[in-house]
Amino acid sequence: KVLQVRAFFLHNTYMNIKNHYLENIKISASPNFDIRPKDKEISLIVLHSISLPPTIFGNNYVEDFFLNKLSKSKNEYINKIRSMKVSSHLYIKRTGEIIQFVSFDKRAWHAGKSIYEGIENCNDYSIGIELEGCDDISFENIQYIKLSEIINTLIVNYQYLRKDRIVSHSDIAPGRKSDPGPLFDWKRLKTMIK
């Protein structure tokens, strides 16, 4: 019961944003971004999952990937993707650590070919949040807590964001992407969003 009460208080707190960056978290500036089109307001949050190599957690490969610093590896998958230019605004590790790679007012390269409600190129008007994870392993409790704090904060700070405009990568790129996967607990997250 004590843990449940503590979790309740944690996920009902807000974080601070200054100059489009969350305060008091690690910032690792990715070169993989550009300017949002002037006619596009931030109006969508896209949730992803990632682990490098797939299903392996607790290393720095994801950070290195977003920073274009992946080295040649014995792992075939790492070698296959290491020249790709990808980024996300935020990354939430399984420990709950949050890293920001791109400021919210800039366009991170997380969604790829995508469409939502008939509007293509979701990178233009979305914030991308990566969770350290994969389709067939449940996410950690602390990741839901941190994610809900972030989403609540974003909704308060960006006027076109609403709690009904939080989607999965698979929603905007059906057939091409499956993340964050079937084990992501949408019902739980929705109870944590104000």
Side-chain angles (χ1 to χ4, degrees), residues 97-136:
E97 180 186 7
I98 302 164
I99 303 171
Q100 186 162 358
F101 293 94
V102 177
S103 67
F104 298 128
D105 62 326
K106 301 295 190 293
R107 180 170 58 185
W109 302 344
H110 61 95
K113 186 177 179 183
S114 52
I115 186 169
Y116 186 68
E117 294 183 339
I119 303 172
E120 296 183 342
N121 301 319
C122 294
N123 283 342
D124 289 351
Y125 55 93
S126 68
I127 288 174
I129 302 175
E130 294 273 4
L131 297 162
E132 184 179 23
C134 58
D135 284 9
D136 50 4

Side-chain angles (χ1 to χ4, degrees), residues 34-42 105 107 124-125 160:
D34 52 13
I35 305 302
R36 292 185 189 274
K38 288 181 180 176
D39 62 336
K40 300 291 184 186
E41 298 288 349
I42 298 167
D105 62 326
R107 180 170 58 185
D124 289 351
Y125 55 93
Y160 295 101

Side-chain angles (χ1 to χ4, degrees), residues 28-53:
S28 290
S30 173
N32 304 330
F33 73 92
D34 52 13
I35 305 302
R36 292 185 189 274
K38 288 181 180 176
D39 62 336
K40 300 291 184 186
E41 298 288 349
I42 298 167
S43 61
L44 191 69
I45 295 172
V46 180
L47 302 185
H48 305 260
S49 65
I50 188 170
S51 53
L52 295 177

Side-chain angles (χ1 to χ4, degrees), residues 50-82:
I50 188 170
S51 53
L52 295 177
T55 74
I56 305 299
F57 308 134
N59 56 51
N60 294 322
Y61 287 130
V62 173
E63 293 101 299
D64 289 346
F65 183 41
F66 292 160
L67 299 173
N68 302 336
K69 291 182 177 178
L70 276 180
S71 301
K72 193 168 182 181
S73 170
K74 292 178 183 176
N75 184 280
E76 216 174 286
Y77 186 81
I78 297 289
N79 288 333
K80 182 181 170 185
I81 66 164
R82 70 189 197 89

